[in-house]
Amino acid sequence: MLFLFLFVIVVLGLRSPFAEAQKVPAIYVLGDSLVDVGNNNHLKLSLAKADFPHNGIDFLGQKSTGRFCNGKNSADFFAEKVGLPISPPYLSLVSNKSGSNAFPITGVSFASGGAGIFNSTDQRYRQSIPLTKQVEYDSTVYEDLVQQLGSATALDHLSKSLFAVVIGSNDILGYFKSGSDLPKKITQQQYVDLMVMTLKDVLKRMHNFGSRKFVVAGIGAVGCCLSQRNQNKTSEECNEEANYWSVKYNESLKSMLQGLKSELNDMDYSYVDTYTIFSSFIQSPSTYGPFLFF
């Protein structure tokens, strides 16, 4: 899957002082299908599942794992990059929880296929874990860590951990999908502004629970997704309007992160420029080998 490949390339290329393995005790992942490692398998009503072949065909055991790809996804490679085990899906831990100290101190994944910044984004998939709910789960893990380690040690642990946030594509796709009534209710600019402000509130909530180091991904050229191309007569051209507002969202996201860094002096972040690399894939696919496809 192109988006996964893209995110892996960018993340593994991050040069940040907090991306050294010895300084990263845990990775906590929030997001959508690009980083879901199996949470949706535990959602009975969800239509966004990857629990069937050929998902997982290149994963250990060659079985589907709930990842929306053939093998490991970007969250898995990210964990390996900093020398940590893969962060397990939160819902698998909750379903098996028989007492306290159930959450591993090396990280947890809250990501859910179909999720968006807005609670209503997942309606077409019937059920997923929206970002606000993922943060509620994060607060539960925070409380569990305080019980395990004590307040001071837990906060020190979290301050050194990485929090990857990969979300927003489904919100843009939802606005521009065929038959969407959102354009009748809110302008593109208002929608993008609301996305950014909602995400800012989420990041501040996470900061309240000890998060200090963030890896935040912008969104790619979502207008070039098959669902968007299929809306065109030729089924070949990208939806340039969707791409335009993807760029506008990313610009607002970067500005928001810079401002939030000034507001929260102990916050650090790396921004993943998904759009630029994705555009390079589209313009020069042969540069990246014979197996790159859309």
Side-chain angles (χ1 to χ4, degrees), residues 18 212 214-216 254 257-258 261 267-271:
F18 60 77
R212 295 294 182 269
F214 297 89
V215 177
V216 182
K254 287 186 286 185
L257 289 171
Q258 292 171 357
K261 165 65 177 172
M267 169 190 167
D268 285 311
Y269 73 91
S270 286
Y271 170 77

Side-chain angles (χ1 to χ4, degrees), residues 142-159 209-210:
Y142 163 76
E143 292 170 359
D144 189 87
L145 287 173
V146 170
Q147 291 182 0
Q148 288 190 58
L149 307 174
S151 180
T153 303
L155 287 172
D156 180 67
H157 166 84
L158 291 168
S159 71
F209 298 127

Side-chain angles (χ1 to χ4, degrees), residues 127-141:
Q127 185 184 25
S128 70
I129 311 170
L131 186 58
T132 52
K133 190 66 175 180
Q134 292 182 34
V135 176
E136 287 183 25
Y137 291 157
D138 178 46
S139 69
T140 300
V141 173

Side-chain angles (χ1 to χ4, degrees), residues 244-259:
Y244 175 84
W245 287 104
S246 297
V247 171
K248 288 297 182 182
Y249 167 77
N250 289 335
E251 291 174 350
S252 295
L253 173 62
K254 287 186 286 185
S255 178
M256 180 272 283
L257 289 171
Q258 292 171 357

Side-chain angles (χ1 to χ4, degrees), residues 24-78:
V24 181
I27 295 179
Y28 297 90
V29 183
L30 299 90
D32 52 30
S33 61
L34 301 183
V35 284
D36 186 354
V37 293
N39 275 307
N40 277 22
N41 281 356
H42 300 272
L43 300 177
K44 293 182 179 180
L45 301 179
S46 179
L47 299 178
K49 291 188 177 182
D51 56 351
F52 54 88
H54 295 286
N55 294 300
I57 193 172
D58 296 317
F59 201 82
L60 182 66
Q62 296 185 317
K63 294 182 179 180
S64 58
T65 61
R67 291 165 172 81
F68 292 76
C69 60
N70 58 298
K72 296 176 182 178
N73 68 19
S74 49
D76 302 320
F77 287 112
F78 192 16

Side-chain angles (χ1 to χ4, degrees), residues 6 9 12 27 55 103 112 140 151 189 220 229 232 262 266:
L6 156 65
I9 286 178
L12 297 190
I27 295 179
N55 294 300
F103 299 116
S112 172
T140 300
S151 180
Q189 186 64 63
R229 290 186 175 193
N232 294 325
S262 298
D266 57 353

